[in-house]
Amino acid sequence: MGVKRKAAAAILVLLLCLGSLWIQGGLDYHWDSCLKGYNQGNKINRRPNNTPHPRLQDQLHHPSNSSEADETKGPPVLSLCPGQNFQVSVLVSHLLAARAYTSDVLLQPYLSSWDELIKFMESLGSMVSLISKEIETKTSIIRQLALMSERGPEAEFDPDMESGHSVNTNLGGGNVVGTLQGKGAYNSVRSMIWTELNRGIVDFQRQTDSGCRTILRLHRALLWLKLFLQKLAETPTAGRLRSPSDLCREAYQSTLAHHHTWFVRRAAELAFIALPERGFFFRLVCVQGQEELSVVLTRVVNAIGEIYDRTQKALEENGMLDLP
């Protein structure tokens, strides 16, 4: 094998491991299994391409009720973009449908939002799509936990379960015990937190595949994507537009980089170099220029922001922002 082929093979191995380590934030625990996990693949049940959640068709026009200020209401009405696997209108629909009560997040549309964000990441090229594989694994973990909960009577959400934990599950419009009674344990972020704390599933000292730890990793990645899209939407008053590669790297350095080792940070920045130019994003969401892109992405950022803030509040109230 020539030198160039050896180098290419080494880079490929590096990127595969980066995809596995991306959300984890460390090397020691996952290094031995990174290639094995990638080769096995991660098969989860996604909705058909560009198919909104059943509740979603009217969400762009009639968002769910919320006592908080809703910056996602009003124009523009987003439509499907022909020829694209990723659909920004479907993403916004899922995000709007994920809002529950005044401070909770429904997990099914939340995970459907991630399905669409994974398509977005996959569209950015093979290097970034490798990272999306680990995110896909995280969404699969929560779906599997929800499925097991539905199958087993002992796993059903039980508000009368005795607990030695003090769990903050206030929804803003009522208590989770009364509001979510009769619904699945993994119906929402707060019902999942309540259930896993009461069952002793969450470990504050070591890494586990609990739903709470998994949602925290997704939560951190969501902030990275939110900040990247926010920067991409910005239109400078003077000077040239900055490259998406630079913007993505800055967003990463402000968010996920704080949870990663030096090795992962360097590998991530190499992956961002391969991001497409700004014109690609115009075509991706079917707009003609930066002004239109800014309008569309601002709406996406606002929708992501509300889901992020609700999840942040639920995790913070229960001391889960630093789960190992």
Side-chain angles (χ1 to χ4, degrees), residues 303-314:
I304 291 177
E306 183 171 359
I307 297 303
Y308 177 86
D309 291 344
R310 289 171 176 233
T311 308
Q312 174 80 5
K313 184 177 180 181

Side-chain angles (χ1 to χ4, degrees), residues 234-242 278 290:
E234 293 174 353
T235 302
T237 55
R240 298 179 58 183
L241 293 169
R242 301 180 60 196
R278 189 173 291 264
Q290 179 60 29

Side-chain angles (χ1 to χ4, degrees), residues 309-321:
D309 291 344
R310 289 171 176 233
T311 308
Q312 174 80 5
K313 184 177 180 181
L315 293 171
E316 185 176 14
E317 288 174 352
N318 291 283
M320 292 185 173
L321 292 178

Side-chain angles (χ1 to χ4, degrees), residues 137-196:
T137 301
K138 297 302 180 189
T139 61
S140 181
I141 289 173
I142 298 177
R143 285 181 167 129
Q144 290 170 2
L145 289 171
L147 183 61
M148 287 188 295
S149 177
E150 292 175 359
R151 288 177 175 175
E154 71 284 354
E156 290 298 326
F157 180 58
D158 183 4
D160 298 322
M161 185 181 301
E162 293 184 0
S163 170
H165 300 281
S166 176
V167 187
N168 193 325
T169 51
N170 190 344
L171 295 174
N175 187 275
V176 69
V177 172
T179 308
L180 297 176
Q181 188 169 7
K183 297 187 178 181
Y186 290 85
N187 177 67
S188 71
V189 169
R190 288 183 179 271
S191 68
M192 177 182 67
I193 291 174
W194 190 95
T195 301
E196 291 197 342

Side-chain angles (χ1 to χ4, degrees), residues 217-230:
R217 268 56 189 178
L218 291 173
H219 181 64
R220 291 170 177 173
L222 189 62
L223 180 59
W224 161 59
L225 288 174
K226 172 183 176 292
L227 187 55
F228 171 49
L229 294 175
Q230 182 176 319

Side-chain angles (χ1 to χ4, degrees), residues 69-269:
D70 184 2
E71 297 179 356
T72 61
K73 290 182 180 180
V77 174
L78 305 177
S79 58
L80 293 178
C81 187
Q84 298 293 349
N85 189 32
F86 165 70
Q87 295 291 337
V88 67
S89 61
V90 176
L91 170 60
V92 173
S93 301
H94 289 311
L95 290 167
L96 295 180
R99 300 175 301 177
Y101 317 106
T102 59
S103 63
D104 204 2
V105 176
L106 297 176
L107 283 177
Q108 183 175 341
Y110 173 83
L111 295 175
S112 295
S113 300
W114 268 114
D115 290 342
E116 208 61 32
L117 285 169
I118 288 170
K119 294 176 188 177
F120 169 74
M121 296 176 67
E122 290 173 344
S123 72
L124 301 183
S126 57
M127 291 187 177
V128 178
S129 68
L130 287 174
I131 298 171
S132 72
K133 295 296 183 183
E134 180 61 22
I135 293 178
E136 191 172 0
T137 301
K138 297 302 180 189
T139 61
S140 181
I141 289 173
I142 298 177
R143 285 181 167 129
Q144 290 170 2
L145 289 171
L147 183 61
M148 287 188 295
S149 177
E150 292 175 359
R151 288 177 175 175
E154 71 284 354
E156 290 298 326
F157 180 58
D158 183 4
D160 298 322
M161 185 181 301
E162 293 184 0
S163 170
H165 300 281
S166 176
V167 187
N168 193 325
T169 51
N170 190 344
L171 295 174
N175 187 275
V176 69
V177 172
T179 308
L180 297 176
Q181 188 169 7
K183 297 187 178 181
Y186 290 85
N187 177 67
S188 71
V189 169
R190 288 183 179 271
S191 68
M192 177 182 67
I193 291 174
W194 190 95
T195 301
E196 291 197 342
L197 283 176
N198 275 277
R199 294 176 187 165
I201 296 174
V202 181
D203 195 316
F204 289 85
Q205 303 301 323
R206 63 183 181 86
Q207 296 179 359
T208 66
D209 282 336
S210 68
C212 292
R213 178 185 184 274
T214 304
I215 206 77
L216 174 61
R217 268 56 189 178
L218 291 173
H219 181 64
R220 291 170 177 173
L222 189 62
L223 180 59
W224 161 59
L225 288 174
K226 172 183 176 292
L227 187 55
F228 171 49
L229 294 175
Q230 182 176 319
K231 289 177 175 292
L232 199 59
E234 293 174 353
T235 302
T237 55
R240 298 179 58 183
L241 293 169
R242 301 180 60 196
S243 72
S245 176
D246 289 342
L247 299 177
C248 190
R249 183 174 62 253
E250 284 186 3
Y252 170 78
Q253 291 172 343
S254 300
T255 55
L256 282 173
H258 298 305
H259 308 286
H260 289 168
T261 63
W262 179 91
F263 175 83
V264 175
R265 292 196 300 270
R266 298 288 82 77
E269 292 182 5

